[in-house]
Amino acid sequence: MTNNKYVLNWIEEMAALTNPDRIVWIDGSEEQTEALRKEAISTGELFKLDQEKLPNCYLHRTAINDVARVEHRTFICTSKKEDAGNINNWMAPDECYAKLGKLFKNSMKGQTMYVIPYSMGIVGSEFAKTGIELTDSIYVVLNMLIMTRAGKEVIDALDENDSGFVKGLHARADLDEENRYICHFPEDNTIWSVNSGYGGNVLLGKKCFALRIASYLGRQEGWMAEHMLILGIENPQGEVKYITAAFPSACGKTNLAMLIPPEGFRAKGYKVWCVGDDIAWIRVGQDGRLWAMNPENGFFGVAPGTNVKSNPNALATTMRDTIFTNVVHNLETNTVWWEGLDKNPPKNALNWKGEKWDCESGEKGAHPNSRFTASAVNCPCISPEFNNPQGVPISAIVFGGRRAKTAPLVYQSRDWNNGVFVGSIMASETTAAASGAVGVVRRDPMAMLPFAGYDMGDYFAHWIEMGKKIENKPKIFNVNWFRTDDEGHFIWPGFGENLRVLLWILDRCEDKAGAVETAIGYLPRPEDINTEGLDISRETMAGLLEVDKEIWREETKGIREFYAKVGDRVPAELYAELEKLENNLK
Ligand code: GTP
Ligand code: SPV
Ligand code: MN
């Protein structure tokens, strides 16, 4: 497939280590892909769903001990520990290569090693980057073919003398939890993942490359890799403005990226275009604005909660060419189901573990982190700019998380550095997207806690530095769709209605909307957000926009503790912002 010596030598070395029976290059052709599907079906790795109702759709089940990212087993292996920082797990590169080398040794014996050349971004474009993943899993191959631009054209576009590709090695091995490792060697452009077969652990183009390795490269090269959706909002005059938003895992990026405007807004001509739902690569354009592109080619979205009301676009996207992972298998219709799809759970069905499932048992049928892997081109609201290698110009950056009480529905930061501060103090209740306890508040700066490929203090400093290079800075905001009442119910209706908040945000970017200054930043008054056609009282809006100083004083203590934990590379600019906030709250 290639004459690139760096590629060939590396594959030879990895094959010597893992000892596969065969090596197969993935070319991206429909013939090869179909043959792989057939093979996976024959071994039970995939189930073919009803091809009339769900053309080209398949179901996969992971091992029951392998259902989410494993943050405690994720390592950044820089030669100096301080470069990985206090927040990341660290291992010395030599030690890690030796340790994982033992786990990879002969791990592919009797199996095929697939070589997947893939591009993050438009193949051959200036801002795209190439990766090669070696894997023993057809499931990984089929997912990578959806999630990235993969195959022959990628390796053809790689120069013979280019050694800068990202080298990913993955083996399922024994799926042994105790020996599961997701390791990154940013100084070597290398990722090693062993003993898992689940999503973010093994689709190495996604979190491992496009966030952890890319954030490291971005700092060196002067750009940013962020855990952000990108969406365009078209107004009735046909003008489109773009927003990026960083929310932690399972906190609403896919939903927001594909939102359908409330009826009244649709009638007026508002439209939302999805550019990306998870990752944004961002750089300063020649025009002095910030430009964002989505390096992925598909969506690895959370299934539960996705339905015709909450996210019709996502649901439509999954109606063809989709791989479902860990959802319910409806045996009556040979289709899929998950909690929150509709009110008719199938009677004759298997749960995500493949066991007979009684929908009245009270036990969940789909895993809370069950997912769909679907093609971006199948999304009804995919942006016409999706394949533009330049990306799109950004008007606003939005941060947000799940906070039952503290954060108001929306607020605007005062300026870039204050906005970086707002991102750095993000916190959210944990979800099922990572293994561990769910619902615990944890600090998750810029939604990058598990994804920054280097020291978090340096990462903050990089944000501050980027601000100096952007002539026309986007404005920075914070949102919270998840405030709850005393009974624990969400107060804000969310989903499509979130457009109302985004429109206030865009109006603020053009000085067209009102706000009041508070201790934490600019907040809309209830009347500043258009609630036309929404059954929500002024008092409820006022409640959603309340900033409780007592709670926030407590919050600043948590922020100080967190900064101390991040360590001595937290920039002085952010401590200055923290002091301002503390003073404002006195
Ligand atoms: P990752 O793919 O893990 O990065 O997640 P994500 O940020 O894309 O989250 P996603 O959009 O898949 O949403 C996850 C969960 O949040 C789903 O159960 C949604 O139903 C729920 N959710 C999304 N938006 C809203 C909202 O506006 N309000 C409420 N109450 N729930 C929401
Ligand atoms: C996330 O957890 O943020 C995801 C899913 O987008 S995974 O690819 O598994 O990381
Ligand atoms: Mn994500």
Side-chain angles (χ1 to χ4, degrees), residues 207 227 249 253 278:
K207 297 302 166 51
H227 192 197
S249 301
K253 288 183 299 302
D278 199 48

Side-chain angles (χ1 to χ4, degrees), residues 88-216:
N88 283 312
N89 301 312
W90 175 84
M91 231 190 286
D94 288 351
E95 183 194 334
C96 189
Y97 282 129
K99 191 182 182 100
L100 269 62
K102 286 191 195 127
L103 302 172
F104 276 114
K105 183 121 190 100
N106 294 327
S107 61
M108 296 191 193
K109 200 163 172 9
Q111 298 182 56
T112 305
M113 172 193 272
Y114 298 98
V115 180
I116 316 168
Y118 65 94
S119 175
M120 300 314 290
I122 309 293
V123 180
S125 79
E126 203 192 330
F127 200 33
K129 293 202 180 279
T130 305
I132 300 181
E133 176 163 357
L134 309 178
T135 179
D136 56 7
S137 156
I138 296 181
Y139 171 74
V140 168
V141 172
L142 295 175
N143 273 272
M144 286 294 282
L145 284 167
I146 299 172
M147 292 305 297
T148 70
R149 296 160 175 97
K152 188 174 180 311
E153 55 162 352
V154 176
I155 199 73
D156 287 350
L158 185 71
D159 192 276
E160 259 187 53
N161 301 310
D162 191 342
S163 60
F165 60 96
V166 170
K167 303 183 276 254
L169 176 66
H170 164 248
R172 285 168 299 175
D174 311 314
L175 296 176
D176 172 9
E177 267 176 288
E178 301 300 318
N179 278 307
R180 186 168 297 155
Y181 289 97
I182 320 297
C183 297
H184 307 71
F185 306 85
E187 292 156 4
D188 304 341
N189 269 334
T190 295
I191 306 157
W192 279 16
S193 163
V194 67
N195 276 309
S196 173
Y198 172 79
N201 295 335
V202 300
L203 309 178
L204 301 185
K206 197 174 179 54
K207 297 302 166 51
C208 299
F209 178 171
L211 287 179
R212 298 194 189 97
I213 298 285
S215 62
Y216 181 92

Side-chain angles (χ1 to χ4, degrees), residues 19 54 60 72 81 83 100 115 122 138 144 167 221 292 296 309 325 415 456 468 471 476 484 504 516 518-519 549 561:
N19 199 14
L54 297 168
H60 171 80
H72 61 296
K81 183 175 192 305
D83 291 341
L100 269 62
V115 180
I122 309 293
I138 296 181
M144 286 294 282
K167 303 183 276 254
E221 299 168 4
E296 300 190 284
K309 265 200 83 192
T325 301
D415 53 31
M456 188 59 75
K468 296 178 189 160
E471 222 169 292
I476 302 179
T484 53
W504 179 78
V516 281
T518 72
K549 284 199 171 179
E561 273 167 36

Side-chain angles (χ1 to χ4, degrees), residues 495-515:
F495 302 101
E497 307 299 343
N498 293 334
L499 181 69
R500 299 169 189 275
V501 174
L502 298 185
L503 290 177
W504 179 78
I505 286 176
L506 284 182
D507 281 347
R508 285 296 293 172
C509 294
E510 296 176 27
D511 291 323
K512 289 201 296 209

Side-chain angles (χ1 to χ4, degrees), residues 205-277:
K206 197 174 179 54
K207 297 302 166 51
C208 299
F209 178 171
L211 287 179
R212 298 194 189 97
I213 298 285
S215 62
Y216 181 92
L217 294 173
R219 174 162 173 254
Q220 289 180 332
E221 299 168 4
W223 53 280
M224 310 201 282
E226 298 297 333
H227 192 197
M228 289 179 174
L229 67 95
I230 312 168
L231 64 76
I233 299 178
E234 181 174 334
N235 70 14
Q237 290 75 48
E239 297 157 342
V240 187
K241 296 264 159 59
Y242 296 92
I243 294 178
T244 61
F247 309 153
S249 301
C251 289
K253 288 183 299 302
T254 303
N255 275 272
L256 194 69
M258 298 181 190
L259 83 73
I260 292 193
E263 204 182 301
F265 290 81
R266 269 205 312 274
K268 280 187 211 143
Y270 283 97
K271 288 192 190 114
V272 170
W273 299 106
C274 173
V275 182
D277 83 323

